[in-house]
Amino acid sequence: MEITKVGIIGAGTMGNGIAQACAVAGVEVVMVDISDAAVLKGVATVASSLDRLIKKEKITGADKDAALGRIQTSTDYAALKGAQLIIEAATENYELKLKILKQVDAIAGPEVLIASNTSSISITKLAAATSRPGHFIGMHFFNPVPMMALVELIRGVQTNDATHDAVKALALRLGKSPITVKNAPGFVVNRILVPMINEAFFVLAEGLATPEDIDAGMKLGCNQPIGPLALADLVGLDVCLAVMEVYLQEFGDSKYRPCPLLKELVAAGHLGRKTGRGVYTY
C-alpha cells in the first residue's frame, strides 16, 4: 500500500509537526482537533515554521503555499475518510488515547492503518483495543518533527509486515530515518533518554551544580547538542513526568522513580517552553 493521504488526530506540537512533514513531502493531510481554534493554531504554527525555512532559503514561497494547500482541517472525524493512515498524536494519556482510537476505529474502513505517536504507552495494549490489531503500529516522531530525522516504528505483538512496510515507506518519503523496535515501555530512545533527564533533575535538586553548568557539562562532556534540563523544557516537563510514571508502573523498579523536583515543577504549571517557564524562564 502506498500512503498518499494521512489523517492526524491532534493539532498540537506533535500533530502540526507531523502535518508539516507530510505536506512538505507532497502527502495530503487531514488534521483534526476538538475545536476550530485548535486546528487554526496548528496551521498557523506550520505557516510560521515554513516562513523560517523560507528565510533560510530551504524552501520557496511557492513551496509554502503548496504545502499549506495540502493540509485540510476539521473538528469532525468524518473528514478522515480517504486517509490510508490515521496517526493519533494526542496528549500522552492512556485513557484519552484509548477513547480517540476507539472513535477512529469505528469510522475508518477495515483496510485503514492506524498509528499512535505515543512515546511510552504499550502499542500491543493499544492495538488490542481496536478491531484491526494487525493494522496498528507505533510511529514515534521526535520534537521538533520537521527538524528531527528519527522515527521509531514500534511493532506490537499483532502488527503485521504489510503495515510495518507501508509505514516505513511513508517515513522514508518524509525524509526521515526510521528504526524498527519491539514493543516495550519507552521503546529504545526514551527508555535511555528520559531516565537521564530525570537523573539531571536529581542532580539539580541536590544542588550539585546550576542548571546551566549541568547542561554545559553534558554538552561538552558527552557531545550532546542540548543539555538534559534544556531538553526537558523543550519536550515538556509534564511529558517527562508522565513517561517516568509509566516506567515505574510497568517495570516496578524504583530506579524509575520520578524526581520530586520534577513533580513539583509540573504541579506549579512550570512545564517548559510551552508555558514560558520550566527549569529556565523563556
Side-chain angles (χ1 to χ4, degrees):
M1 177 193 295
E2 181 184 4
I3 297 169
T4 58
K5 185 175 183 179
V6 173
I8 300 170
I9 308 294
T13 301
M14 299 306 294
N16 68 58
I18 297 168
Q20 177 180 328
C22 290
V24 168
V27 178
E28 298 292 324
V29 174
V30 180
M31 186 166 61
V32 177
D33 212 317
I34 58 173
S35 68
D36 289 330
V39 292
L40 289 173
K41 183 179 179 181
V43 172
T45 300
V46 173
S48 296
S49 177
L50 294 174
D51 283 338
R52 289 192 292 273
L53 293 177
I54 290 173
K55 288 180 180 178
K56 295 178 182 178
E57 299 183 347
K58 298 283 184 69
I59 64 172
T60 66
D63 293 332
K64 173 190 172 182
D65 292 341
L68 291 175
R70 296 187 188 103
I71 301 175
Q72 174 190 347
T73 62
S74 181
T75 57
D76 186 351
Y77 281 20
L80 297 168
K81 185 177 181 181
Q84 294 104 350
L85 168 68
I86 299 174
I87 303 172
E88 170 274 311
T91 303
E92 194 71 355
N93 176 285
Y94 173 71
E95 295 300 332
L96 175 61
K97 289 182 181 292
L98 194 62
K99 178 182 177 182
I100 290 170
L101 290 171
K102 286 184 175 180
Q103 288 179 278
V104 169
D105 189 41
I107 61 97
E111 75 287 351
V112 176
L113 309 182
I114 301 178
S116 175
N117 184 55
T118 179
S119 57
S120 61
I121 298 171
S122 169
I123 296 301
T124 296
K125 188 175 181 181
L126 291 175
T130 74
S131 64
R132 69 195 73 214
H135 287 176
F136 195 96
I137 193 168
M139 197 175 191
H140 180 209
F141 291 84
F142 287 75
N143 186 31
V145 176
M147 303 294 294
M148 298 293 283
L150 179 63
V151 178
E152 282 183 310
L153 303 181
I154 305 100
R155 298 188 66 149
V157 170
Q158 316 94 316
T159 306
N160 62 42
D161 290 342
T163 297
H164 169 268
D165 293 348
V167 172
K168 181 177 180 179
L170 174 67
L172 291 170
R173 180 176 175 182
L174 301 186
K176 304 302 183 184
S177 299
I179 63 171
T180 300
V181 305
K182 293 180 181 179
N183 182 66
F187 317 129
V188 169
V189 176
N190 281 345
R191 172 76 176 274
I192 299 167
L193 176 65
V194 181
M196 181 196 73
I197 289 173
N198 191 54
E199 193 64 25
F201 276 95
F202 274 115
V203 170
L204 177 62
E206 292 168 20
L208 299 185
T210 64
E212 292 81 3
D213 281 352
I214 292 169
D215 281 346
M218 294 302 290
K219 288 166 66 178
L220 298 172
C222 299
N223 202 30
Q224 295 183 356
I226 184 173
L229 298 174
L231 180 57
D233 277 355
L234 180 62
V235 171
L237 272 59
D238 54 334
V239 176
C240 295
L241 176 59
V243 172
M244 287 304 298
E245 288 175 334
V246 168
Y247 292 172
L248 183 63
Q249 178 181 349
E250 293 294 326
F251 290 113
D253 191 327
S254 62
K255 74 179 181 179
Y256 296 112
R257 177 173 66 94
C259 176
L261 175 59
L262 175 60
K263 296 171 74 173
E264 279 288 286
L265 290 172
V266 171
H270 300 167
L271 308 183
R273 288 181 178 269
K274 61 188 173 185
T275 60
R277 183 175 179 184
V279 176
Y280 300 100
T281 301
Y282 300 89

